[in-house]
Amino acid sequence: MKYDRIWNFNPGPAAVPLEVLEQVHEGWFNYVGTGMNVMEMSHRSKEYDEIHNHTAALVKQLLGLGDEFHVLFLQSGASLQFAMAPMNFLGEGKVADYINTGSWSTKAIKEAKLFGTVNVAFDGSRFNYTHLPSPVELKLTPGAAYVHLTSNNTIKGTQFLSFPDTGGVPLFADMSSDIFSHRFDSRPFGLFYAGAQKNLGPSGVTLVVIRDDVLRSAREGLTTMLSYKTHVDNNSLFNTPNTFGIFFMGRVLQWVVDMGGLEVMENRNRSKAELLYGFMDQNSDFYKGTVDEGSRSWMNVCMRLPDEELEARFVAEGRTAGFIGLKGHRSVGGIRVSMYNAIPVDAIRDLVEFMKQFMAENG
Ligand SMILES: *Cc1c(COP(=O)(O)O)cnc(C)c1O
């Protein structure tokens, strides 16, 4: 493969599009006549300002966001958002609904409990997180401040491809591992956020989108850096942002636009999922999916092989064959194939070929 690269199925930080790496490399020593790398520029310069605003504009363009949405670039990952969201929008006498579909939701719930009343509207731990809630399983609180969910469960391998109806209560979502992977209606969302290291580039920048009416309901008197208002009022330039990360995110988003936008991304991700799950379904006595069919993630495909020794061999031989990152999360075991936007259909074709061969030799 070009530059001796390998198919990278790491769960995050994860593969970025090769075209983007090449482009960024081109301007490495001198970004469009500035005589500098982007990371060497002042975050108050005109050149950087353009990069910053262009990245935000691409977010809005790709998601079809109206003027009622603000785009922020923050730091400390999705993990800080677990705390920042309830800190800003919960408090005395307020209730938030949380849908618990895995490890990341559990972490978000833990933080929210520090700031107000949390109603766990669905507790997937009772089913080992193998499915997402059906509408009847979801116990929402009328008048809740918000409903929080994890759109894609990176560790367990389930994904909301459509979102529950909350009857007008703002949806809050951790979209770290599937943002920009398919189209969705953003209007019910009050807040969504994503650490960049899965679908948007390098770690160290968190994309946050917040709706204006929700922002206006935020609590006052918070510490400056943890108040969304600070960052909205200062266009994410209150302090020094991750300038290079934001630049890189802009390049990744431009790549999505150049590929044909979210519809094309969605079709490509669906094709990858059909290819891999289709093969697994035909060979389910060897490659057994760990979640219910209706809840399967297009981004993280989790499976078990007949025994742990075979799983270890699969990972080791996969590595030799040119695939990295196939080991399942320690809490699930088995195999996990993380195939975010940057992974082309060809990578999945090659992987399926390898899986066929491995099964023929070990089945
Ligand atoms: C990776 C991941 C996180 C962790 O994000 P950090 O940026 O490391 O804080 C949170 N939520 C989901 C769904 C993830 O996939």
Side-chain angles (χ1 to χ4, degrees):
M1 215 181 296
K2 206 172 177 185
Y3 312 112
D4 277 335
R5 283 169 65 79
I6 58 175
W7 290 135
N8 177 358
F9 298 111
N10 278 334
V16 297
L18 178 59
E19 294 86 343
V20 174
L21 288 177
E22 286 180 323
Q23 259 186 19
V24 170
H25 182 241
E26 241 171 64
W28 196 252
F29 300 106
N30 184 351
Y31 175 74
V32 296
T34 58
M36 292 176 273
N37 185 293
V38 171
M39 72 178 84
E40 300 173 292
M41 291 177 182
S42 164
H43 62 298
R44 308 285 176 206
S45 66
K46 186 173 122 308
E47 289 85 356
Y48 176 71
D49 215 43
E50 243 164 57
I51 291 168
H52 189 91
N53 292 332
H54 185 59
T55 304
L58 285 169
V59 171
K60 285 194 145 188
Q61 179 191 327
L62 278 165
L63 296 176
L65 301 178
D67 289 339
E68 70 274 29
F69 286 98
H70 304 283
V71 175
L72 302 176
F73 306 113
L74 307 183
Q75 297 183 49
S76 295
S79 298
L80 181 62
Q81 295 309 304
F82 296 163
M84 214 167 139
M87 183 183 281
N88 279 257
F89 300 110
L90 268 185
E92 272 294 306
K94 286 196 179 173
V95 182
D97 286 338
Y98 274 71
I99 300 177
N100 186 359
T101 51
S103 330
W104 296 116
S105 314
T106 304
K107 289 189 172 164
I109 290 167
K110 176 170 180 267
E111 298 302 302
K113 282 181 172 167
L114 299 171
F115 300 101
T117 306
V118 170
N119 167 47
V120 178
F122 171 75
D123 180 11
S125 70
R126 293 187 296 133
F127 320 98
N128 198 21
Y129 303 110
T130 49
H131 75 266
L132 299 176
S134 66
V136 292
E137 289 174 294
L138 203 54
K139 305 284 180 261
L140 298 176
T141 313
Y146 60 84
V147 178
H148 183 281
L149 58 78
T150 314
S151 58
N152 179 69
N153 300 290
T154 324
I155 292 173
K156 302 294 176 184
T158 59
Q159 182 182 20
F160 286 95
L161 287 163
S162 60
F163 295 103
D165 181 1
T166 58
V169 174
L171 256 179
F172 282 20
D174 173 6
M175 297 193 178
S176 292
S177 54
D178 72 342
I179 195 161
F180 299 105
S181 69
H182 67 95
R183 293 168 293 177
F184 67 95
D185 180 6
S186 53
R187 287 171 301 181
F189 287 88
L191 176 87
F192 53 96
Y193 54 90
Q197 66 271 23
K198 276 100 183 199
N199 256 340
L200 295 168
S203 58
V205 53
T206 314
L207 173 65
V208 178
V209 173
I210 187 164
R211 208 172 67 204
D212 194 61
D213 62 307
V214 171
L215 176 74
R216 278 188 274 111
S217 73
R219 259 168 68 175
E220 300 287 340
L222 298 174
T223 185
T224 312
M225 278 296 285
L226 297 179
S227 162
Y228 288 111
K229 277 192 177 129
T230 301
H231 301 292
V232 169
D233 291 347
N234 292 280
N235 189 24
S236 310
L237 287 159
F238 174 77
N239 72 324
T240 320
N242 178 352
T243 53
F244 189 79
I246 294 164
F247 161 70
F248 202 101
M249 185 190 293
R251 289 287 140 153
V252 171
L253 295 176
Q254 187 60 54
W255 173 83
V256 175
V257 170
D258 295 343
M259 292 287 287
L262 282 198
E263 189 180 348
V264 170
M265 233 51 257
E266 177 179 314
N267 290 336
R268 178 169 132 123
N269 288 323
R270 182 189 293 108
S271 300
K272 283 149 54 184
E274 283 173 359
L275 205 58
L276 186 49
Y277 286 117
F279 175 76
M280 286 162 58
D281 286 344
Q282 282 165 11
N283 302 284
S284 56
D285 45 349
F286 196 84
Y287 295 112
K288 194 166 172 36
T290 56
V291 301
D292 294 1
E293 208 175 315
S295 301
R296 285 170 165 176
S297 167
W298 289 0
M299 300 280 101
N300 309 93
V301 179
C302 298
M303 66 187 94
R304 297 304 308 245
L305 270 56
D307 62 59
E308 286 183 7
E309 196 206 317
L310 275 176
E311 290 169 345
R313 195 183 309 162
F314 182 89
V315 172
E317 289 183 16
R319 204 178 170 134
T320 313
F323 309 102
I324 201 173
L326 292 171
K327 193 172 176 351
H329 189 271
R330 57 191 181 281
S331 69
V332 178
I335 303 300
R336 171 174 54 171
V337 184
S338 298
M339 43 187 206
Y340 305 118
N341 280 354
I343 301 291
V345 181
D346 275 351
I348 306 305
R349 274 201 201 100
D350 288 356
L351 179 67
V352 166
E353 275 313 307
F354 168 74
M355 290 168 75
K356 267 184 205 159
Q357 207 180 323
F358 186 84
M359 190 174 59
E361 286 164 11
N362 297 281

